[in-house]
């Protein structure tokens, strides 16, 4: 949960800032923090570690602290956000602070504060200082009355989770600020994001991350969704690249403020069958979580991202076979090292 910032002036080096939300510890999703740190690592490689500032409300792990600049920041502290923007001459802001779908349903008041009040702070700071603002949206921004296969960029949404409602709110508020104040607002609706470097953290699509941990460690996995539950997914490398590409796209190439992006769409059974090609002894069982299943059943089965591909040239690199091979190579090497130790 957080946001990144980068200045655009030609005489300045790129600068990113990641700010994590103040959430109660028992409800915090460590894996979402880890995913943001992973993303920051990718940007540090591209722009140089000294040009990327990371932040959180908690002490960072050693590799983050020693990997480049790190500061404290609180998404709900508007004055602090303004100081950061002014003191660092910020011009690009990436806002990632949110409680995910299942976690948000367990703590609606906290999700409302982080996902909506935090967004308002960011919108106001961005408008006041003429920033280019990126806010991610999600498959969770759609609901059971939305067309599901495929789901176009513009259609009825009506989500039934606080996470989804807050994301629709973000899309509409960003578009309003664009037309009302001229804010350069850009938004991508992410599918389920799969990363080798992070632990699952309360999202409905997180089974597609946990399955690799369990397959390599135990040779079996208990899935909390039905075997036939089809959802759109994307590997983290494609997600990071899509985000940078839409932010770097010329303004005149954008026909809308919020785009779907997609890479693949699969079911737990599809994923299990691909895993069996690498781990023949792998076994999957199903113990359906009614809350998560209801959420998944209201989400798109497949994203129509033709506008992103047409307007700014989006093209994914990872399909299901490449995803499984990459994830197993990462977890397999870790497991072999652990076993040797």
């Amino acid at each position: 949960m957080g946001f990144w910032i980068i200045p655009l002036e030609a005489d300045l080096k790129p600068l990113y800032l990641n700010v994590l939300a103040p959430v109660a510890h028992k409800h915090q999703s460590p894996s979402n923090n880890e995913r943001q740190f992973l993303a920051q690592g990718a940007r540090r490689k591209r722009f140089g570690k000294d040009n990327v500032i990371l932040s959180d409300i908690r002490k960072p792990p050693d590799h983050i602290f020693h990997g480049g600049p790190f500061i404290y920041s609180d998404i709900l502290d508007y004055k602090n956000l303004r100081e950061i923007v002014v003191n660092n001459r910020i011009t690009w802001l990436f806002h990632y602070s949110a409680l995910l779908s299942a976690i948000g349903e367990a703590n609606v008041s906290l999700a409302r504060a982080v996902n909506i009040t935090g967004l308002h702070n960011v919108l106001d700071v961005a408008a006041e200082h003429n920033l280019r603002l990126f806010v991610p949206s999600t498959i969770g921004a759609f609901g059971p009355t939305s067309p599901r296969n495929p789901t176009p960029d513009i259609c009825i949404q009506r989500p039934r989770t606080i996470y989804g409602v807050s994301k629709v709110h973000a899309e509409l508020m960003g578009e309003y600020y664009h037309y009302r104040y001229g804010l350069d607002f850009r938004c991508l609706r992410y599918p389920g994001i799969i990363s080798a470097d992070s632990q699952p953290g309360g999202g409905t699509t997180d089974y597609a991350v946990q399955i690799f941990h369990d397959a390599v460690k135990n040779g079996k996995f208990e899935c909390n969704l039905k075997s036939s539950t089809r959802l759109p997914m994307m590997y983290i490398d494609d997600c990071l690249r899509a985000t940078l590409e839409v932010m770097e796209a010329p303004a005149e190439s954008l026909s809308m403020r919020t785009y779907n992006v997609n890479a693949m769409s699969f079911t737990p059974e599809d994923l299990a069958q691909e895993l069996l090609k690498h781990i023949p002894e792998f076994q999957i069982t199903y113990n359906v979580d009614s809350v998560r299943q209801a959420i998944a059943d209201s989400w798109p089965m497949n994203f129509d991202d033709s506008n992103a591909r047409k307007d700014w040239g989006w093209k994914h690199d990872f399909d299901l076979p490449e995803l499984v091979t990459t994830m197993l190579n990462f977890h397999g090497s870790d497991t072999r090292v652990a076993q040797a130790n």
Side-chain angles (χ1 to χ4, degrees):
M1 292 171 286
F3 62 71
W4 304 311
I5 307 175
I6 181 171
L8 288 174
E9 290 87 346
D11 61 331
L12 294 179
K13 294 181 179 180
L15 170 68
Y16 284 89
L17 173 66
N18 178 67
V19 182
L20 301 184
V23 299
H25 291 297
K26 67 178 181 178
H27 294 294
Q28 186 147 358
S29 165
S31 74
N32 203 36
N33 292 0
E34 291 166 4
R35 289 177 187 174
Q36 305 315 322
F37 285 140
L38 170 66
Q40 294 294 37
R43 283 154 175 76
R44 279 181 166 169
K45 288 180 181 179
R46 176 169 178 177
F47 295 105
K49 68 175 185 178
D50 292 332
N51 299 323
V52 178
I53 298 176
L54 302 186
S55 72
D56 199 347
I57 60 169
R58 301 181 302 178
K59 291 193 297 184
D62 288 345
H63 71 282
I64 295 297
F65 183 76
H66 296 294
F70 184 93
I71 63 174
Y72 172 92
S73 189
D74 181 339
I75 191 64
L76 296 183
D77 186 340
Y78 181 76
K79 181 175 182 291
N80 176 236
L81 300 183
R82 291 182 67 193
E83 289 175 349
I84 292 170
V85 169
V86 171
N87 292 344
N88 293 281
R89 300 180 66 192
I90 299 305
T91 59
W92 282 22
L93 187 154
F94 296 70
H95 170 61
Y96 276 85
S97 185
L99 263 66
L100 300 181
S101 54
I103 296 295
E105 291 306 290
N107 195 332
V108 172
S109 61
L110 180 61
R112 188 172 61 239
V114 172
N115 297 11
I116 296 178
T117 303
L119 168 77
H120 293 173
N121 287 341
V122 167
L123 284 169
D124 287 341
V125 168
E128 179 183 358
H129 295 283
N130 195 30
L131 309 183
R132 178 174 296 183
L133 173 63
F134 176 83
V135 177
S137 190
T138 166
I139 55 175
F142 296 94
T145 56
S146 305
R148 298 187 65 211
N149 191 20
T151 302
D153 286 304
I154 300 176
C155 64
I156 190 169
Q157 294 183 251
R158 297 294 185 186
R160 293 184 178 176
T161 65
I162 186 62
Y163 177 60
V165 168
S166 68
K167 286 302 185 181
V168 173
H169 177 76
E171 294 175 13
L172 295 177
M173 286 294 289
E175 187 170 324
Y176 172 76
Y177 269 62
H178 171 69
Y179 290 110
R180 178 68 174 83
Y181 302 112
L183 176 65
D184 190 353
F185 172 84
R186 305 182 183 203
C187 176
L188 296 180
R189 294 193 189 106
Y190 291 151
I193 303 301
I194 301 172
S195 168
D197 278 12
S198 64
Q199 296 287 331
T204 302
T205 60
D206 276 354
Y207 85 86
V209 176
Q210 186 65 52
I211 193 171
F212 291 100
H213 292 271
D214 291 4
V216 171
K217 184 178 180 180
N218 305 317
K220 59 183 179 180
F221 173 67
E222 183 178 89
C223 185
N224 55 24
L225 296 179
K226 295 177 182 178
S227 63
S228 60
T229 305
R230 182 171 299 278
L231 292 167
M233 301 282 187
M234 179 179 286
Y235 186 58
I236 185 69
D237 287 13
D238 278 340
C239 173
L240 301 180
R241 185 168 54 81
T243 303
L244 283 181
E245 286 180 3
V246 75
M247 284 296 279
E248 293 172 340
E252 60 271 17
S253 70
L254 304 179
S255 63
M256 57 188 65
R257 292 291 114 188
T258 298
Y259 288 89
N260 293 344
V261 286
N262 197 22
M264 66 196 89
S265 183
F266 57 75
T267 68
E269 179 63 23
D270 294 336
L271 183 52
Q273 289 300 315
E274 193 65 34
L275 271 165
L276 281 168
K277 298 177 182 178
H278 300 263
I279 308 174
E281 67 276 14
F282 174 70
Q283 296 179 346
I284 185 169
T285 57
Y286 297 91
N287 183 15
V288 176
D289 181 318
S290 60
V291 173
R292 290 174 190 258
Q293 186 64 51
I295 293 172
D297 288 342
S298 71
W299 283 359
M301 300 169 66
N302 192 26
F303 259 162
D304 176 0
D305 62 355
S306 56
N307 285 315
R309 294 174 186 268
K310 178 186 67 175
D311 287 1
W312 45 275
W314 165 241
K315 184 179 180 181
H316 69 279
D317 288 335
F318 288 81
D319 287 310
L320 182 57
E322 293 82 7
L323 168 70
V324 170
T325 299
T326 301
M327 293 289 286
L328 287 178
N329 284 344
F330 180 89
H331 289 295
S333 63
D334 283 357
T335 301
R336 286 192 292 274
V337 171
Q339 289 173 342
N341 290 338

